[in-house]
Amino acid sequence: AALLALADKWPDDNTRKFLTERAFQDENATPRSAALQALAEKWPDDNTLKFLTERAIQDVNGISRSAALRALAEKWPDDNTRKFLNKRAIQDENGTLRSAALQTLAKKWPDDITRKFITERARQESAASAGPPAAGRCRHRRDRSAPG
């Protein structure tokens, strides 16, 4: 709340610098997320876009990374952001962040393209969680009555 109040009442270069430092250096994910949100709200420019994109990939915590994804979609709802979210939904190692990317896509781009993409991700994740067949078991039984 304090970081958002700073950005709201004192939207100057000093506040921007402070918020950027908090978004990068704070040990707790909650203030980092608030700082990212405040930066997107008050300074929706190319520098913030680049910073949020970096934090969505590099932050050590999924909460902060999810906040960066949501801020990107909210302030830059364009094809580049959509492609970035698609990429995070596929490539991110963190399942929570992949889920956040999918949810953000569904919220900001509720069209047939997104539906198809999310359906395909669900199929792939379902197949991946099933894993390979157990060792020594075959998928098809051999007909034991046949000679040979």
Side-chain angles (χ1 to χ4, degrees):
L3 295 174
L4 296 173
L6 273 172
D8 190 44
K9 297 298 178 186
W10 294 277
D12 57 24
D13 287 341
N14 289 333
T15 300
R16 184 178 187 164
K17 182 180 177 190
F18 180 73
L19 289 171
T20 302
E21 289 170 359
R22 292 300 85 216
F24 187 74
Q25 297 174 355
D26 202 291
E27 291 183 21
N28 189 310
T30 302
R32 286 199 313 271
S33 298
L36 292 168
Q37 179 185 354
L39 285 165
E41 285 294 322
K42 291 297 179 180
W43 294 277
D45 58 23
D46 288 343
N47 290 332
T48 301
L49 172 63
K50 182 180 177 192
F51 185 69
L52 288 171
T53 303
E54 290 171 358
R55 300 319 311 147
I57 297 171
Q58 297 173 0
D59 196 287
V60 296
N61 187 283
I63 295 170
S64 299
R65 292 168 65 200
S66 296
L69 288 179
R70 287 190 305 274
L72 285 167
E74 193 62 39
K75 291 298 179 179
W76 292 273
D78 58 24
D79 284 340
N80 289 332
T81 299
R82 186 177 188 163
K83 289 175 188 174
F84 181 73
L85 288 168
N86 284 346
K87 190 174 182 179
R88 299 301 352 131
I90 295 170
Q91 295 180 353
D92 204 283
E93 296 173 4
N94 184 311
T96 302
L97 194 80
R98 287 192 309 270
S99 178
L102 291 170
Q103 290 173 5
T104 303
L105 282 165
K107 181 179 178 184
K108 291 305 277 187
W109 291 276
D111 57 21
D112 287 338
I113 294 169
T114 299
R115 182 179 182 171
K116 183 178 178 182
F117 178 75
I118 291 174
T119 301
E120 184 59 30
R121 292 302 312 145
R123 282 190 184 114
Q124 290 173 358
E125 288 179 6
S126 179
S129 67
R137 284 193 347 216
C138 295
R139 290 193 145 184
H140 303 285
R141 287 187 169 169
R142 199 173 111 203
D143 184 357
R144 298 197 190 278
S145 64

